[in-house]
Amino acid sequence: MKNEVKSAVDFLANILRTSKHVSEQQVHIFKENLQNLLSSKFENHWFPSKPNKGSGYRCIRINHKMDPLLLQAGHSCGLNETVIFSIIPNELTIWVDPFDVSYRIGENGSIGVLFESDNTSFNDNSSSSMSSTSSSSSLSSGSESPSPMSMMSFSANSCKGQFMSEFPRDMGLKQFAAYVYS
């Protein structure tokens, strides 16, 4: 869980760093507090053998209303809600699941991957690494490219899976790239 939470926290901290109104010391305090808050919240809702279980509970969501944990971490470093809203996108979703952390900016934005691990040992102390999907190597094999949507496996039981299930599975690579770019 440490690596997944850290990747989400680092992503949000990097967004804060883009503001000239936030010092590096404030970013450090924000990161430390948010790491602790998320770890505590997820502690009894982390199921590596069933990664989609509890997905909605672990979702960090800003939809014109600030996620309470982000607000609490912001207050801990001296940032008020107005300042946080001026820096962080007002429509942001971050899914923090075992072995996978993804985000979406905007209600119709494409999903980006912050962290992905093929580690299935379920041991949080083991070293998980940042990696791309293993199926992406099949694109360079010279054979006919599979549909990018078919390369993605999302459970319809997860929030992210429900979002992804709305898109056609037969979408070609160029169509998918155009969608992601838009």
Side-chain angles (χ1 to χ4, degrees):
M1 174 171 58
K2 286 182 184 178
N3 292 325
E4 290 89 344
V5 170
K6 183 180 182 325
S7 68
V9 170
D10 287 347
F11 175 72
L12 290 163
N14 286 336
I15 292 173
L16 287 180
R17 280 190 180 98
T18 64
S19 173
K20 61 184 177 184
H21 303 291
V22 181
S23 71
E24 190 57 38
Q25 181 180 7
Q26 286 175 303
V27 171
H28 177 74
I29 293 168
F30 175 87
K31 280 178 63 172
E32 189 174 288
N33 282 298
L34 187 58
Q35 180 92 23
N36 291 334
L37 290 167
L38 291 175
S39 295
S40 293
K41 179 180 180 181
F42 299 164
E43 186 175 346
N44 294 318
H45 297 275
W46 196 258
F47 310 99
S49 62
K50 296 179 182 179
N52 293 324
K53 183 178 179 181
S55 179
Y57 184 79
R58 294 185 307 268
C59 180
I60 301 168
R61 182 91 167 110
I62 302 168
N63 190 5
H64 303 282
K65 182 179 176 188
M66 185 58 60
D67 184 285
L69 294 183
L70 294 182
L71 193 55
Q72 190 175 345
H75 286 158
S76 71
C77 66
L79 300 176
N80 65 35
E81 188 170 2
T82 305
V83 171
I84 298 169
F85 259 126
S86 72
I87 302 167
I88 295 177
N90 60 7
E91 290 181 351
L92 173 66
T93 306
I94 303 174
W95 294 278
V96 183
D97 295 323
F99 318 114
D100 180 65
V101 180
S102 303
Y103 72 97
R104 179 184 70 202
I105 297 175
E107 288 302 304
N108 299 314
S110 57
I111 293 179
V113 176
L114 296 173
F115 176 88
E116 188 173 52
S117 172
D118 55 2
N119 180 359
T120 57
S121 69
F122 308 146
N123 182 355
D124 207 44
N125 296 326
S126 63
S127 60
S128 298
S129 62
M130 198 78 117
S131 67
S132 60
T133 58
S134 58
S135 56
S136 64
S137 60
S138 66
L139 292 176
S140 60
S141 66
S143 62
E144 188 174 320
S145 299
S147 161
M149 297 308 289
S150 67
M151 293 187 298
M152 297 179 190
S153 66
F154 300 106
S155 168
N157 295 331
S158 71
C159 294
K160 181 172 53 177
Q162 289 171 3
F163 174 76
M164 291 304 293
S165 69
E166 296 177 15
F167 297 101
R169 297 288 180 212
D170 60 348
M171 184 184 288
L173 186 58
K174 288 183 181 178
Q175 290 172 308
F176 182 70
Y179 173 75
V180 170
Y181 181 75
S182 64

